[in-house]
Amino acid sequence: YQRRVRGMEVLLLAVAQYRKREPENNEEEEWMHNIFDCFCRLLMQKENQRAFLVAEGIELMVRLAKSGGAARSPAMKVLDYALSNNASACNHFVDCLGLKTLFSVFMKRGKKKDHDGKGKRKKKVSEDEEESFIISIICSLLKHCSGNTQGFHMSRRERLISKFEEKNFEKVDRVIEMFLTYRKKLSIVDKRLEEERKERILRKQMMDEEEGLMLYMRRLDAGLFVLQSIVQVLTYLLCGEDQQTGNDKDKMRKEHHLKERQNQKKQAIRVRKSGKSKREQGR
């Protein structure tokens, strides 16, 4: 396990330099992206997710995303892999104040440098890819965040939900805007696929399993996965908090019932003691 942590620390040290500077040329930028891709491959395993957390990888990725440079998008991609199905990492992300950076990028307020100091255009991840990382992170946070952070009066989940309530629910409007955009993109591809299906029927051609998989991949490339993640986020925002509130109410009822029983027991003990003392005085 310690070897995993040390390995993560070596990779983190390699990308930490891009907090304060940009890659000098295309070769260096390609090298930087390769390291981030290594993180993504490694974080597919639970053991490596834990090692990444111990090595303070989440903190560094938040700082890289905050820097707004060429490392921003790949850092968001790594965070997506690190938080996926990982409740402890999601809670730690909120604890290290990652929400502010996440929603700044989500609302496109974090300025991203597309040029180096010499005015040359630098390679960057597409806007659609970055949006897919961000919406997937938000989905993971809504799914897994729980408990309280020391020094905050709100729970982690309440802090996350409150972000969507800021500035007249502008972030909810942004999610809905993304939903409409990706639904339109997918509908265009679906129309093309439907036309191809009709042509295949006229030619009396059957679709094999490989062709069906290719059609599904085309829908994914058109934004199907992002659209599904957006729907999940909207579902959590509309229903998740009510469910959480219901669970809290059930917990409060149980605690209240337990306190009542304890009070009844204490009262019964007092009555017995008072009755016993009266009998002793009567003797």
Side-chain angles (χ1 to χ4, degrees):
Y1 178 74
Q2 291 299 324
R3 289 181 180 178
R4 292 177 186 268
V5 175
R6 285 197 293 270
M8 287 292 179
E9 289 174 345
V10 171
L11 291 175
L12 290 169
L13 186 62
V15 297
Q17 59 183 311
Y18 298 110
R19 284 178 54 202
K20 298 181 179 179
R21 76 174 187 88
E22 295 292 288
E24 295 182 358
N25 48 53
N26 291 334
E27 289 76 14
E28 184 180 358
E29 187 169 11
E30 185 68 27
W31 178 81
M32 180 193 73
H33 278 274
N34 288 339
I35 296 178
F36 281 110
D37 288 340
C38 288
F39 277 119
C40 295
R41 292 290 184 91
L42 290 170
L43 290 170
M44 290 181 180
Q45 297 182 9
K46 286 290 182 182
E47 295 81 3
N48 291 331
Q49 284 185 333
R50 287 193 289 270
F52 185 76
L53 185 63
V54 172
E56 299 183 357
I58 291 178
E59 288 90 338
L60 178 59
M61 293 302 138
V62 170
R63 294 189 188 110
L64 288 169
K66 187 177 181 179
S67 68
R72 189 185 81 178
S73 292
M76 298 302 293
K77 182 180 179 181
V78 172
L79 284 171
D80 181 19
Y81 277 83
L83 303 185
S84 179
N85 297 316
N86 192 342
S88 58
C90 288
N91 290 332
H92 189 73
F93 179 85
V94 177
D95 292 345
C96 67
L97 308 179
L99 292 178
K100 183 177 180 180
T101 300
L102 173 66
F103 284 103
S104 177
V105 179
F106 178 62
M107 298 302 293
K108 299 181 179 179
R109 293 193 182 116
K111 292 183 180 179
K112 186 175 180 182
K113 303 169 187 175
D114 294 338
H115 299 79
D116 59 13
K118 300 176 183 179
K120 295 181 180 180
R121 186 79 176 179
K122 300 189 83 65
K123 176 184 173 182
K124 66 172 185 177
V125 177
S126 71
E127 184 175 321
D128 287 354
E129 285 182 294
E130 189 173 75
E131 285 180 344
S132 71
F133 305 148
I134 295 169
I135 205 69
S136 181
I137 291 171
I138 294 173
C139 191
S140 295
L141 292 172
L142 285 167
K143 183 177 180 181
H144 295 294
C145 276
S146 61
N148 298 309
T149 306
Q150 188 175 1
F152 288 86
H153 66 281
M154 293 191 298
S155 68
R156 295 184 182 96
R157 184 178 180 80
E158 287 171 340
R159 289 167 61 190
L160 176 58
I161 295 296
S162 67
K163 286 292 182 180
F164 288 92
E165 298 172 353
E166 294 174 350
K167 298 183 180 180
N168 200 23
F169 297 90
E170 65 172 3
K171 296 177 182 65
V172 177
D173 293 336
R174 173 82 175 107
V175 176
I176 295 173
E177 175 191 335
M178 289 179 64
F179 171 79
L180 296 174
T181 300
Y182 281 91
R183 187 180 66 173
K184 184 177 180 180
K185 289 180 180 180
L186 187 61
S187 65
I188 293 172
V189 173
D190 284 341
K191 286 180 181 178
R192 293 175 184 168
L193 294 178
E194 180 63 20
E195 291 174 359
E196 292 177 9
R197 187 185 69 84
K198 290 179 179 178
E199 291 179 1
R200 194 177 287 106
I201 291 173
L202 291 174
R203 296 174 184 173
K204 297 182 179 180
Q205 293 178 344
M206 298 295 292
M207 183 186 299
D208 58 23
E209 184 177 349
E210 184 176 351
E211 288 177 332
L213 182 60
M214 290 300 296
L215 292 180
Y216 180 66
M217 294 297 296
R218 286 172 63 181
R219 297 190 74 212
L220 286 176
D221 291 339
L224 175 62
F225 174 75
V226 182
L227 186 62
Q228 290 172 337
S229 299
I230 292 170
V231 172
Q232 279 187 294
V233 169
L234 290 172
T235 303
Y236 280 119
L237 292 176
L238 291 171
C239 307
E241 189 63 17
D242 293 338
Q243 183 179 359
Q244 185 78 5
T245 303
N247 293 336
D248 292 341
K249 287 180 179 179
D250 291 339
K251 185 178 179 181
M252 289 174 65
R253 289 194 197 101
K254 290 178 181 178
E255 290 177 352
H256 180 68
H257 182 64
L258 182 61
K259 287 180 180 179
E260 281 188 347
R261 291 185 62 184
Q262 289 175 346
N263 291 332
Q264 288 172 0
K265 287 181 179 179
K266 289 179 181 179
Q267 189 175 0
I269 292 172
R270 291 196 197 100
V271 170
R272 290 173 186 171
K273 286 182 178 179
S274 62
K276 185 177 180 180
S277 61
K278 286 179 181 180
R279 286 196 298 271
E280 289 177 352
Q281 289 175 2
R283 291 177 185 176

